[in-house]
Amino acid sequence: MTEEKISRRAAMKKTMNAGLAAGAVASMPHWILPALAQGETLVPFSDMPEDFSRGPASPGGTHFMDTRQISDFYSDNMDFYVVQHYGQPQVDLNSYRLKVTGLVENEKEYTLADLRAMSQFQIDAGFECGGNRSALYHGLIGNANWGGVRLADILNDAGIKPAGEEVVFFGADIGSELIRETEVEQAFARSLPVADAMRDVNMLALEMNGENLPQFHGRPLRLLVPGYYGVANVKWLTQIHVQDRRYMGRFMGRDYVTLKREMIGDQERWVENSVTKIQLKSSIVRVTRMGNQHKITGFVLNDGTPLRNVEIKIDNGPWQVANLDPRATQYSWKLFSMDWNASAGEHTLVSRVTDVNGNVQLTEEQMPEKVSRWENYAQFPRTIVISG
Ligand SMILES: Nc1nc2c(c(=O)[nH]1)N[C@H]1C(S)=C(S)[C@@H](COP(=O)(O)O)O[C@H]1N2
Ligand SMILES: [Mo]
């Protein structure tokens, strides 16, 4: 690692550990670091089992965060959620090549050294799995600082031919799919129309929070499409292919497809859409207590549209504007908090976010009728018991 990277990593660790004595940090597994200030305690939600925590990510499996523990802007690499559908392939770093093929002027192959030698940039981005949901207390989520190469640089290097319409991203992981009674081997893949692929925030990420991309998160290279649900961010990326028509694989055309009833012009219709841009969403995840003062914390995710505000409603009280964490950037998650003079007894807490275009996060009852399990962005009321 370069000096710059090491100091960046050190600075992040410092933020993560702020408020804890050095000894306490060393003796505690990092995934349960409570990051509580002196005298501060975590107040349990009454809608959530106390033993909800699952420990850190472990090889091969999925991992969700215990969202009560969200207190840092950057998620620890071992606590950022993990999801994949065909296992976690081991990619040999020496023989690794990223191939760029199809409707391009020059088909290309890059080694990892080639990619590292190109101009690098960094971006903060948070995302969730399209299947994130209240039963998991929205734990399929994370926020990190990513480092890597601009996707547009790679595409410009190869030169997309005029007939190129769609850019397909293939992972090294392969699964067996039954399609019309035929068993076929398919790699995990997602695609973007050329115009979307050329957005200058899209990254081929080599680093996560200042470290080489961890195995769970797509070592050595993944696509990062800021503002999109996790499924867009192809891990273990090995091939980029330009073609003249839409790509329809399982994860574009059959799975991660939302079926909902909505107005299409003046007609109500059932429509299916691929899971792409993150819907406007907020959720309360944490309540802490210091003396008699309580503090409510939550997160916002969306597609990068600027926000107007986040509000919190306690019981049947008025909506009150919460404070947004100033570290938020366009595509990061946005943490918010509000001090609360809580009275003893059971309370219901709910948040809602509004963007600059006036879109307001809907209640569960206001959500469009939806039969698929993807894109769960309704307001999420929480219950908590405050002791006297
Ligand atoms: N190669 C590959 N990339 C993948 C997947 C996969 O199964 N294979 N799963 C996707 C899904 S559904 C999600 S939610 C995110 C999760 O990324 P993370 O594990 O780094 O949080 O990876 C995406 N990228
Ligand atoms: Mo996902």
Side-chain angles (χ1 to χ4, degrees), residues 257-261 270-273 369-372 374:
V257 169
T258 296
L259 171 60
K260 63 173 185 278
R261 203 209 295 259
W270 280 99
V271 291
E272 288 164 276
N273 68 271
E369 192 182 342
K370 191 158 70 69
V371 294
S372 43
W374 313 108

Side-chain angles (χ1 to χ4, degrees), residues 100-120:
V100 184
T101 57
L103 293 172
V104 292
E105 302 297 342
N106 309 294
E107 294 202 330
K108 292 262 179 185
E109 272 194 28
Y110 299 86
T111 64
L112 286 172
D114 295 336
L115 294 169
R116 290 218 176 81
M118 293 180 68
S119 162
Q120 310 282 305

Side-chain angles (χ1 to χ4, degrees), residues 190-233:
R190 285 277 301 192
S191 71
L192 294 168
V194 168
D196 292 345
M198 292 300 286
R199 290 198 316 158
D200 70 356
V201 291
N202 294 338
M203 176 187 277
L204 301 183
L206 290 155
E207 290 186 1
M208 181 178 187
N209 289 329
E211 288 177 349
N212 286 333
L213 199 62
Q215 168 64 3
F216 300 148
H217 299 291
R219 181 175 184 261
L221 190 73
R222 85 178 301 170
L223 174 64
L224 181 73
V225 187
Y228 280 50
Y229 282 100
V231 68
N233 301 322

Side-chain angles (χ1 to χ4, degrees), residues 154 203 241 251 261 276 290 324 358:
I154 296 280
M203 176 187 277
H241 185 75
F251 298 96
R261 203 209 295 259
T276 56
M290 174 98 103
L324 279 165

Side-chain angles (χ1 to χ4, degrees), residues 104-383:
V104 292
E105 302 297 342
N106 309 294
E107 294 202 330
K108 292 262 179 185
E109 272 194 28
Y110 299 86
T111 64
L112 286 172
D114 295 336
L115 294 169
R116 290 218 176 81
M118 293 180 68
S119 162
Q120 310 282 305
F121 78 112
Q122 275 148 26
I123 193 166
D124 289 338
F127 54 87
E128 64 173 359
C129 176
N132 206 9
R133 55 196 179 272
S134 54
L136 296 176
Y137 304 91
H138 297 289
L140 296 173
I141 189 174
N143 185 65
N145 176 267
W146 306 88
V149 176
R150 232 174 264 287
L151 172 61
D153 289 351
I154 296 280
L155 296 175
N156 287 332
D157 227 13
I160 296 179
K161 288 186 172 165
E165 296 279 351
E166 187 95 348
V167 186
V168 193
F169 302 87
F170 292 96
D173 48 333
I174 290 171
S176 155
E177 294 291 340
L178 192 63
I179 302 172
R180 293 213 155 228
E181 286 148 59
T182 306
E183 193 88 38
V184 297
E185 304 255 280
Q186 283 195 323
F188 180 89
R190 285 277 301 192
S191 71
L192 294 168
V194 168
D196 292 345
M198 292 300 286
R199 290 198 316 158
D200 70 356
V201 291
N202 294 338
M203 176 187 277
L204 301 183
L206 290 155
E207 290 186 1
M208 181 178 187
N209 289 329
E211 288 177 349
N212 286 333
L213 199 62
Q215 168 64 3
F216 300 148
H217 299 291
R219 181 175 184 261
L221 190 73
R222 85 178 301 170
L223 174 64
L224 181 73
V225 187
Y228 280 50
Y229 282 100
V231 68
N233 301 322
V234 179
K235 303 194 274 189
W236 310 286
L237 180 68
T238 56
Q239 186 180 6
I240 299 177
H241 185 75
V242 181
Q243 61 187 43
D244 67 356
R245 64 197 65 186
R246 287 175 64 199
Y247 170 80
M248 304 286 288
R250 169 176 159 194
F251 298 96
M252 289 300 288
R254 300 197 300 286
D255 210 347
Y256 286 83
V257 169
T258 296
L259 171 60
K260 63 173 185 278
R261 203 209 295 259
E262 63 181 4
M263 293 305 289
I264 301 293
D266 57 6
Q267 276 279 335
E268 194 175 55
R269 300 181 190 276
W270 280 99
V271 291
E272 288 164 276
N273 68 271
S274 185
V275 170
T276 56
K277 293 179 189 177
I278 302 177
Q279 305 269 9
L280 182 65
K281 162 174 183 173
S282 74
S283 176
I284 288 171
V285 293
R286 175 179 169 93
V287 174
T288 50
R289 176 180 198 151
M290 174 98 103
N292 277 329
Q293 188 60 50
H294 288 80
K295 187 169 129 187
I296 304 167
T297 305
F299 70 80
V300 171
L301 273 186
N302 78 338
D303 63 1
T305 304
L307 305 182
R308 182 177 295 166
N309 63 26
V310 185
E311 298 163 292
I312 294 176
K313 188 164 82 167
I314 299 162
D315 302 322
N316 291 316
W319 286 104
Q320 301 177 67
V321 176
N323 298 308
L324 279 165
D325 179 341
R327 291 171 296 182
T329 60
Q330 186 174 6
Y331 295 106
S332 73
W333 66 16
K334 284 119 189 110
L335 301 182
F336 63 87
S337 64
M338 194 179 84
D339 289 333
W340 174 30
N341 285 313
S343 56
E346 173 151 87
H347 297 283
T348 301
L349 313 175
V350 68
S351 66
R352 72 171 182 199
V353 54
T354 304
D355 72 16
V356 289
N357 301 322
N359 296 310
V360 185
Q361 184 183 7
L362 304 175
T363 63
E364 193 67 59
E365 298 69 45
Q366 293 165 334
M367 288 276 281
E369 192 182 342
K370 191 158 70 69
V371 294
S372 43
R373 52 189 287 259
W374 313 108
E375 305 188 73
N376 301 302
Y377 53 95
Q379 291 176 23
F380 181 39
R382 307 299 309 268
T383 55

